[in-house]
Amino acid sequence: MAAVTLKDVAERAGVSIKTVSNVVRNAPRVSEATRKRVLKAVHELGYRPNPSARRLRTGHSGLIGLAVPDLATPYFAELAQHVRAEAAHLGLTVLIEETLGDATEELRLATGVGASLLDGVILSPLRVSPDELAAVANEFPLVLLGERSYERDQVGADHVLIDNVAAARDATAHLAALGRTRIAAIGVDQQASATSRQRLEGFQLALHEAGVIYDPRLTPAIKEFDRRNGLLAMRALTALPAGVRPDAVFCFSDLLAVGAQRALFEAGLAIPDDVAVASIDGSDEALYSTPSLTSVVPDKTAIASLAVKCLAARIRSDEPLPFEVHTAPHWLHARESTNGGRQQLFR
């Protein structure tokens, strides 16, 4: 049986081939009634888009990759949703890969190896070295997410990030403004990642500005940015002598903060009366935790929009484009973990 074509679908739906193409690519400016009619015809005929054929016609498949360390992490799961939505507006389809922070896998995806139909990749790297990225970045359309641990021109790729130093500074300054003087930090990882280093820098800067002494005993090392490590680190902090034990803690991720809150509950300590808690990520995990978490919220919509538009421009341009670094905004949402009381989520 011959394969169903765009023309077949167009004839069944009573529309033009271009309209069918727009619906299949999820392009905007198609009426809902027309979209439903075309999708009904697609379903009835069993039409399946052929990326190879599209690439032969246009030179592009319309497929891009998003590679993140861990889709079980709320921040990356939510970011992936925003990337998919932004790509759909531009008529692009997103294939999502999970690297688990493996340097070899990150490098493989940065070069498009193993996914020959991809037009480009948005990558959030954790372990691959700047030298390795620099060696391949000019060979394949690539946009990087997250913190840079290298100079601007060292890796030839667009980069979208937030100002981690400023974000950590904002969260810590909020705790200091509450009158807390023994402020701990959970998130100093053993791998000395760029995220950890930059957030520690912002933490220390805010302490200095508030006249609060930095005490290294209040920054226990962790292995991962997850709930378990937040729990274990907070247990160690609550075991400190009374004069050292923190009265506030800044966690480098929402997941760390959720684990820390559990440890405080186990220790019989009240949040925020005994220990105020703040974090970074602005995930739904922070919103629905009990108490709700004060968290710095990166603008994930802006991050996704900047990343997809940068990649699309690079894919579609016939001329080399200059590489740019884009900083997305962030803001602090103060909630129950620092403000106390009970706040109704939705009114």
Side-chain angles (χ1 to χ4, degrees), residues 126-148:
L126 281 185
R127 303 283 185 262
V128 64
S129 73
D131 289 340
E132 290 174 313
L133 277 179
V136 302
N138 289 319
E139 300 175 6
F140 186 66
L142 178 67
V143 173
L144 301 178
L145 300 179
E147 295 66 50
R148 288 182 301 144

Side-chain angles (χ1 to χ4, degrees), residues 12 25 38 60 62 67 75-76 79 94 111 151 188 220 235-236 240-241 244 246 273 290 303 307 310 322 325 328 333:
R12 172 68 68 94
R25 293 185 297 109
V38 170
H60 305 301
Y75 174 82
F76 288 117
L79 181 63
V94 182
T111 60
E151 297 301 320
V188 179
R235 281 178 179 171
L240 291 170
V244 180
D273 294 345
T290 304
I303 292 170
C310 283
V325 176
H333 271 182

Side-chain angles (χ1 to χ4, degrees), residues 21 61 148 208 223 238 275 290:
S21 176
S61 67
R148 288 182 301 144
H208 176 73
K223 294 181 179 179
T238 58
V275 183
T290 304

Side-chain angles (χ1 to χ4, degrees), residues 67-95:
V68 298
D70 183 7
L71 283 168
T73 299
Y75 174 82
F76 288 117
E78 292 169 22
L79 181 63
Q81 291 178 325
H82 288 289
V83 169
R84 186 207 60 77
E86 182 61 35
H89 283 303
L90 298 181
L92 299 171
T93 299
V94 182
L95 301 181

